[in-house]
Amino acid sequence: MIIFDNQNDLKLHLEINGVNKKIGFVPTMGALHEGHISLIIESTKKCELTICSIFINPTQFDSKEDLEKYPKTIEQDILLLKKNNCDILYSPNKSDLYKSGEKAKKYNFKSLESVLEGIYRPNHFNGVATIVDKLLNIVKADYAYFGLKDLQQTMIIKELVKLNKIKTRIIGLPTIREINGLAKSSRNKLLSVENKENASHIYKQLLIIKENFKQNSIDALLKNAKEKLINNNITIDYIEIIETNTFKISRNINSKKEYAICIAAYVNGVRLIDNLIL
Ligand code: AMP
């Protein structure tokens, strides 16, 4: 695996070694786990050159404290990437991607950003779109792989690519979970064993909603889930059923449309998100 810490060297390398090759790209913030690796594996299956980026993007964090406590395990990440046949790692410093004082660009993702994460983390998607826009322009991949664990983010990236006429195809892949159902997340490294046990109730409640979705009212399902989660020391930002394509919050079901249940919640101060397609 070749490691680049600046975009000019990476671009030069790709100009020479990327010609006529299918390029797959997996952008991450590091502290890699099986969720990230599932994206790398899919890329290596489909593409001749797989590039992973590790960059903790400051413009998508709401608070300095959250940014500072984000886990960093670069040595371990490099070993994992090598073991899984990643060809290139791009892990730059902030100055390689942002000019001094540069802020997130403002995008208009309409209904996709006016709910859920868009409300609870007001500038988050502008930050995500800013960095993904920059990275896609550097790497110019044929395919870029994103996790459906961050469903709203993946929808936003698909919209970004459409708006900016970026040629990369965005592929969303299923959520990888711990044995107890907890969605794998870099933030899980901040949870104790007991916290993880509590956090497993998030997926349990999503499954209960999925099982009872057609028979019960949405209000009753959400009320029941909220009670169970609160009883397990989980603080909820939101738990909502949305129409997958538009991300509009739904209270009534139209059998022709696809829905998802989305949640953001805190376990011992660590913010976790999850969702299930219903
Ligand atoms: P992050 O490092 O958290 O920015 O995530 C990088 C990519 O990995 C994003 O596209 C995430 O959606 C994806 N990802 C994170 N966790 C998982 C998971 N448990 N299963 C599948 N993909 C994931």
Side-chain angles (χ1 to χ4, degrees):
M1 185 172 75
I2 310 176
I3 303 176
F4 292 96
D5 64 4
N6 79 82
Q7 57 170 290
N8 290 334
D9 288 352
L10 171 61
K11 283 190 217 156
L12 195 63
H13 178 85
L14 291 177
E15 270 171 31
I16 299 163
N17 299 286
V19 208
N20 294 328
K21 282 192 186 146
K22 278 229 164 347
I23 299 181
F25 178 44
V26 180
T28 80
M29 298 204 296
L32 302 182
H33 50 69
E34 284 95 330
H36 299 112
I37 296 304
S38 72
L39 309 182
I40 298 281
I41 290 174
E42 188 59 24
S43 173
T44 59
K45 274 193 208 150
K46 257 255 180 77
C47 303
E48 290 148 297
L49 202 62
T50 291
I51 304 173
C52 175
S53 65
I54 294 182
F55 178 65
I56 303 178
N57 174 38
T59 63
Q60 73 187 67
F61 283 81
D62 323 283
S63 76
K64 223 178 153 195
E65 189 198 346
D66 193 26
L67 171 63
E68 273 160 13
K69 77 174 186 194
Y70 199 84
K72 296 165 197 74
T73 59
I74 188 71
E75 299 303 327
Q76 217 176 304
D77 293 350
I78 291 173
L79 290 178
L80 257 181
L81 290 172
K82 282 185 180 165
K83 197 171 138 204
N84 288 283
N85 304 316
C86 181
D87 299 294
I88 294 176
L89 168 63
Y90 172 48
S91 76
N93 287 321
K94 188 179 168 194
S95 60
D96 198 50
L97 287 165
Y98 287 101
K99 291 189 203 102
S100 163
E102 184 181 343
K103 301 242 160 43
K105 262 167 83 174
K106 300 263 181 253
Y107 295 83
N108 183 2
F109 296 115
K110 299 186 186 144
S111 69
L112 284 179
E113 66 176 347
S114 59
V115 289
L116 312 186
E117 293 298 283
I119 302 231
Y120 282 86
R121 306 187 68 187
N123 211 27
H124 174 66
F125 287 130
N126 280 324
V128 170
T130 300
I131 193 65
V132 173
D133 201 356
K134 284 176 189 279
L135 291 169
L136 291 179
N137 274 310
I138 294 168
V139 174
K140 300 199 188 320
D142 297 281
Y143 299 94
Y145 297 87
F146 290 84
L148 293 176
K149 172 182 166 277
D150 299 283
L151 183 62
Q152 196 172 3
Q153 169 175 287
T154 303
M155 299 295 287
I156 294 254
I157 302 299
K158 285 189 173 172
E159 189 60 24
L160 168 76
V161 163
K162 237 194 258 167
L163 284 175
N164 288 6
K165 299 188 172 62
I166 298 170
K167 290 204 182 98
T168 307
R169 253 190 80 191
I170 304 302
I171 314 282
L173 294 177
T175 303
I176 305 296
R177 300 180 178 281
E178 311 263 1
I179 291 164
N180 69 9
L182 172 64
K184 298 238 178 203
S185 164
S186 305
R187 290 174 191 268
N188 294 357
K189 294 194 166 77
L190 305 170
L191 298 173
S192 68
V193 175
E194 192 192 336
N195 295 157
K196 281 190 183 171
E197 192 44 43
N198 286 344
S200 72
H201 287 276
I202 294 175
Y203 183 57
K204 286 191 187 118
Q205 288 308 315
L206 298 189
L207 279 179
I208 290 173
I209 290 175
K210 186 175 167 88
E211 278 158 22
N212 297 287
F213 181 52
K214 299 259 159 69
Q215 301 89 289
N216 294 64
S217 83
I218 290 181
D219 283 335
L221 287 173
L222 296 179
K223 183 168 177 272
N224 179 61
K226 279 180 192 166
E227 278 169 17
K228 298 279 162 26
L229 292 169
I230 291 165
N231 288 342
N232 282 288
N233 296 325
I234 294 170
T235 313
I236 301 163
D237 261 357
Y238 61 78
I239 176 163
E240 293 288 0
I241 287 171
I242 53 97
E243 211 189 295
T244 319
N245 282 335
T246 58
F247 255 80
K248 288 202 176 112
I249 290 175
S250 304
R251 282 286 175 273
N252 298 303
I253 299 156
N254 174 340
S255 60
K256 293 199 186 84
K257 291 184 174 166
E258 186 190 70
Y259 297 91
I261 170 81
C262 298
I263 182 167
Y266 287 88
V267 174
N268 197 28
V270 179
R271 191 171 189 274
L272 303 170
I273 61 169
D274 202 348
N275 68 79
L276 262 189
I277 305 287
L278 296 172

